Amino acid sequence: MEYLVISDSHGRADLVDRVLELQVHAPDAILFLGDGLRDLRVLEYQDLCVRCVRGNCDSEVDQMVLEFPIMADYALLDGGNGRTL
């Protein structure tokens, strides 16, 4: 599984969108590590698996405007081949 990891966009949704434009291959999933949850609204209408971890600058209000599940403050992910991320 190939993940695209993004974090700390801090209000620059345009940069989140630009990062996706620069990808040669579409990732299997996007992991957003916090601080700019509202910026992920640019992803809502794309067919991507998005998982988010709340950052110290993200509020509960930010979470209410997203369709994506918030994984809380931390998460363990199956990276395949018996690896945990």
Side-chain angles (χ1 to χ4, degrees):
M1 182 166 245
E2 292 183 12
Y3 294 97
L4 173 61
V5 180
I6 305 172
S7 73
D8 296 282
S9 54
H10 292 284
R12 295 294 310 267
D14 59 312
L15 294 180
V16 172
D17 196 36
R18 182 73 175 129
V19 165
L20 287 173
E21 289 174 6
L22 294 173
Q23 298 304 302
V24 175
H25 303 286
D28 295 313
I30 293 177
L31 302 178
F32 188 81
L33 303 182
D35 294 344
L37 287 172
R38 287 181 190 218
D39 302 334
L40 298 183
R41 294 193 77 176
V42 300
L43 306 177
E44 284 183 339
Y45 301 106
Q46 297 187 29
D47 188 25
L48 295 167
C49 175
V50 179
R51 296 293 181 259
C52 311
V53 177
R54 183 177 51 240
N56 65 317
C57 293
D58 294 315
S59 69
E60 291 180 11
V61 173
D62 294 326
Q63 295 174 58
M64 289 188 285
V65 301
L66 290 177
E67 297 294 322
F68 307 121
I70 305 300
M71 298 187 302
D73 295 320
Y74 64 92
L76 295 177
L77 301 172
D78 179 2
N81 299 325
R83 297 179 302 186
T84 301
L85 305 172

